Amino acid sequence: MKEAVKGYHIFLSKSWLKWAIYIPYPIVLIGMVYILNRYLTFFQYICIGMVCGMIVAVEIMVDTYVLMGIASKNTNRLEYLKTSTKGLPLLKKVLAMDAVRRFLSITVILAGAYLVIGTDPTGTSNVTPAQCFICIVITDLLVELAFLLTRLFLNVWINLLTVYILWGIAFLEGFIILYKISLLPILLVMVLCAGVIAAGRTLILKRAGESYYDG
Amino acid sequence: MEIQTAIKIENLIKKYKGFKLEIPSLKIPEGFATALIGENGAGKSTLINVLAGIRLDYTGEITYFDGRQEEKAIRENVGYTGPGNYFMPYWTIDVVGKASRLLFEQFHEERYQEICQELGVDKKKTSIEKLSDGMKMKTMLAAVFARDTQMLLLDEPASPLDPLMRDKLCSMIREYIEEGNGEKSVFFSTHNIADMENVTDYAVIMAHGKIVEKGFVEDLKEKYILVKGESSEADSGKEILLGFQKNHYGYEGLCLSENLDKLAGMDIVTETPTLSQISVAVMKEFSNLAGSAK
């Protein structure tokens, strides 16, 4: 576990990034929900939609500095890792740690948003724990889907385009709070999310393995 | 004196996009600095990548340290530096140190910092991708020399370095071998042997994916003789000499010592060639340029 955390922080590389994803990132987004909810809008779905969109945008942009392009064909950015027998196992741990960190970040932020909305003294919260949870899973799913694309190419413009498109889709999550959510959709989305995470991880490791072969 | 083998290659074949690396047999001696010399596209990087274990699509057998060690120990004991994008682009020099500590058990971070300082690698917080090629190479060298290894595989280490740093690199290689007491070896590739000649003990010359000459430098200098003669006798020397060159003043080329008697009666001067002259002459014989040069 310690090695996975150290390895992940090595991939985070930028010192400001290591600090930013753990402290300002969740605080700023929860703060954004607070301001939206208390001062700018009566509509809670806008608050949830905005924060989901912002999470997707931030996570994709953070990944620019972490694993962008890692699954590109003929990637040669792993040469140093490949000179060690610990290199690819370390990469596997980093991918796992990255997924865990992201899920925890999204959970903290959306749970915080849920609490902010739920403690609004002027209104009644329409957000249920089930709705909050499905937003967490759908947001994670959208981010992981984005990575299937952004990690294939070493191109910042593709990242930006993906941010624009998925921010809009994530915003629509806000409308989930207008509906009752049962267990089945939650389970389906969880399975889908796990599948996308596994597919992304498999693709990266497959490309890493292919990089041992020319042509 | 029996010389141990650091790496033994047998029947190595690697095919890649119209190129074929073919080495029936090669023994890299232990305790020496071996230069792998060849023009661009000769197959030097391909060979070093295979030896470093970062390319696996080959057939043949490679034995490290006479088969005395397991695969994991081999990777730990072999250090490699390569060209191009070697580290993750957003890593900084400090992060390279931290990553190396995780990747290699015998990596010494204090030594890494000392070597970085010695080599003038001072932009510790700058991303690797923003560094010059020279700084990137210095970082790679610092990372590899900070490990306890038995063998270094260095792919074109001198190419991006300034002359002062090349001299420093030669000193580092020499110190590395000397502190190993005959058990440490360096195998480096270069297309400009002149800068690394003073540290080279054994030379392997490649052309078109094949080894065309190899041997200890002293032996090669006995095998070949540099011959210089008058322009009027150039035509006679042309057929016998390797790397034949003619100018207004005369001609020069390399001659096998055993063929020197074929130049008997000609007005020639002989000298001991440098490794650079031997390499150029041998490569010219096998190069595509050989036809136009003659």
Side-chain angles (χ1 to χ4, degrees):
Chain A
M1 178 72 180
K2 207 171 160 187
E3 201 174 274
V5 172
K6 278 186 185 173
Y8 180 57
H9 286 168
I10 283 166
F11 274 74
L12 283 177
S13 64
K14 303 273 185 191
S15 49
W16 61 263
L17 197 60
K18 271 183 275 231
W19 169 79
I21 60 162
Y22 291 123
I23 301 172
Y25 166 42
I27 292 174
V28 165
L29 290 193
I30 295 172
M32 182 188 79
V33 171
Y34 179 86
I35 291 169
L36 276 174
N37 180 247
R38 296 293 195 269
Y39 303 107
L40 295 179
T41 179
F42 296 114
F43 302 110
Q44 292 167 357
Y45 70 84
I46 291 179
C47 300
I48 297 294
M50 280 293 289
V51 76
C52 289
M54 287 304 295
I55 289 171
V56 167
V58 169
E59 290 290 345
I60 294 172
M61 291 317 295
V62 164
D63 201 59
T64 306
Y65 294 101
V66 184
L67 294 166
M68 182 179 77
I70 195 96
S72 58
K73 228 176 180 183
N74 301 320
T75 181
N76 59 358
R77 299 160 70 208
L78 300 174
E79 303 297 75
Y80 192 53
L81 295 185
K82 283 156 62 179
T83 61
S84 167
T85 52
K86 294 183 182 180
L88 292 194
L90 180 67
L91 180 62
K92 284 183 194 171
K93 288 177 189 168
V94 167
L95 291 173
M97 197 62 219
D98 181 56
V100 166
R101 193 280 307 162
R102 181 172 312 102
F103 187 77
L104 290 176
S105 293
I106 295 172
T107 303
V108 164
I109 294 167
L110 284 176
Y114 165 71
L115 285 172
V116 161
I117 291 171
T119 54
D120 179 359
T122 62
T124 312
S125 172
N126 293 325
V127 185
T128 66
Q131 288 167 338
C132 179
F133 185 71
I134 202 169
C135 284
I136 290 169
V137 184
I138 291 176
T139 306
D140 198 23
L141 172 63
L142 287 174
V143 173
E144 295 294 343
L145 277 171
F147 289 161
L148 283 179
L149 183 66
T150 61
R151 287 177 178 176
L152 269 179
F153 302 100
L154 198 61
N155 190 323
V156 166
W157 299 110
I158 290 178
N159 274 30
L160 281 174
L161 186 62
T162 312
V163 165
Y164 285 130
I165 295 170
L166 286 180
W167 188 96
I169 297 172
F171 180 78
L172 298 174
E173 282 183 61
F175 292 96
I176 286 175
I177 68 168
L178 302 176
Y179 301 92
K180 269 192 177 169
I181 303 294
S182 63
L183 186 59
L184 184 63
I186 293 177
L187 287 175
L188 282 173
V189 174
M190 281 178 71
V191 166
L192 194 58
C193 188
V196 171
I197 291 173
R201 183 174 180 273
T202 303
L203 179 64
I204 289 171
L205 294 175
K206 179 172 174 274
R207 283 284 155 84
E210 284 172 0
S211 70
Y212 282 95
Y213 300 86
D214 290 314
Chain B
M1 182 182 75
E2 196 190 330
I3 294 170
Q4 302 273 20
T5 304
I7 299 179
K8 186 168 88 170
I9 298 169
E10 281 177 335
N11 300 317
L12 176 68
I13 296 177
K14 176 175 159 61
K15 292 178 187 171
Y16 167 55
K17 284 184 185 177
F19 175 82
K20 187 179 177 185
L21 177 70
E22 193 174 357
I23 300 175
S25 175
L26 176 65
K27 288 182 184 177
I28 299 168
E30 193 174 47
F32 296 97
T34 300
L36 179 62
I37 307 161
E39 59 181 341
N40 295 331
K44 305 186 297 296
S45 292
T46 306
L47 175 58
I48 289 191
N49 286 345
V50 165
L51 296 178
I54 61 172
R55 291 297 182 274
L56 301 176
D57 48 344
Y58 65 89
T59 59
E61 210 175 297
I62 301 175
T63 311
Y64 297 83
F65 311 122
D66 287 329
R68 303 188 295 263
Q69 298 180 11
E70 287 177 355
E71 170 70 22
K72 196 178 171 185
I74 291 168
R75 290 289 150 243
E76 194 62 41
N77 284 327
V78 173
Y80 163 79
T81 68
N85 300 318
Y86 179 74
F87 298 119
M88 296 294 284
Y90 291 115
W91 283 5
T92 61
I93 287 161
D94 283 342
V95 170
V96 165
K98 290 175 186 164
S100 302
R101 204 170 57 195
L102 279 185
L103 291 169
F104 302 104
E105 282 169 16
Q106 295 180 67
F107 175 81
H108 305 280
E109 202 163 350
E110 304 83 28
R111 198 195 302 172
Y112 170 72
Q113 297 294 346
E114 278 168 19
I115 297 174
C116 282
Q117 202 167 1
E118 206 180 311
L119 300 182
V121 180
D122 51 5
K123 297 179 183 176
K124 299 283 178 71
K125 304 290 180 195
T126 307
S127 299
I128 293 288
E129 58 167 2
K130 290 183 182 163
L131 296 177
S132 65
D133 289 345
M135 279 294 181
K136 284 180 193 168
M137 178 51 73
K138 288 182 191 180
T139 308
M140 284 190 241
L141 290 171
V144 89
F145 276 98
R147 290 168 51 198
D148 293 335
T149 52
Q150 262 185 270
M151 173 128 205
L152 297 181
L153 300 171
L154 311 177
D155 191 359
E156 305 268 3
S159 287
L161 300 177
D162 58 68
L164 198 62
M165 187 55 219
R166 287 178 189 182
D167 187 63
K168 176 69 183 165
L169 174 62
C170 289
S171 303
M172 289 171 74
I173 290 174
R174 185 53 66 201
E175 274 172 33
Y176 174 83
I177 290 175
E178 282 170 5
E179 73 187 18
N181 287 324
E183 289 184 355
K184 290 192 178 187
S185 317
V186 176
F187 185 63
F188 64 90
S189 70
T190 178
H191 55 251
N192 183 6
I193 188 58
D195 292 325
M196 305 289 285
E197 186 161 347
N198 65 3
V199 80
T200 304
D201 301 308
Y202 193 89
V204 176
I205 303 172
M206 281 187 81
H208 301 300
K210 292 182 168 63
I211 291 172
V212 296
E213 183 58 272
K214 60 182 190 279
F216 282 97
V217 173
E218 294 311 312
D219 295 339
L220 290 174
K221 287 183 177 181
E222 283 177 15
K223 183 176 176 182
Y224 295 96
I225 292 177
L226 181 66
V227 172
K228 295 179 181 178
E230 299 288 328
S231 318
S232 53
E233 294 178 320
D235 289 336
S236 305
K238 205 171 167 182
E239 301 305 318
I240 300 163
L241 298 179
L242 301 175
F244 179 86
Q245 260 184 316
K246 191 177 168 187
N247 56 38
H248 292 301
Y249 307 104
Y251 67 88
E252 72 174 48
L254 237 58
C255 177
L256 286 166
S257 303
E258 63 200 30
N259 288 343
L260 195 58
D261 56 345
K262 294 180 184 173
L263 299 170
M266 290 169 67
D267 187 10
I268 58 172
V269 170
T270 60
E271 289 174 15
T272 303
T274 62
L275 179 58
S276 179
Q277 287 167 327
I278 295 171
S279 308
V280 169
V282 170
M283 284 192 291
K284 263 187 180 171
E285 285 301 300
F286 293 91
S287 158
N288 291 331
L289 297 174
S292 53
K294 284 191 174 170

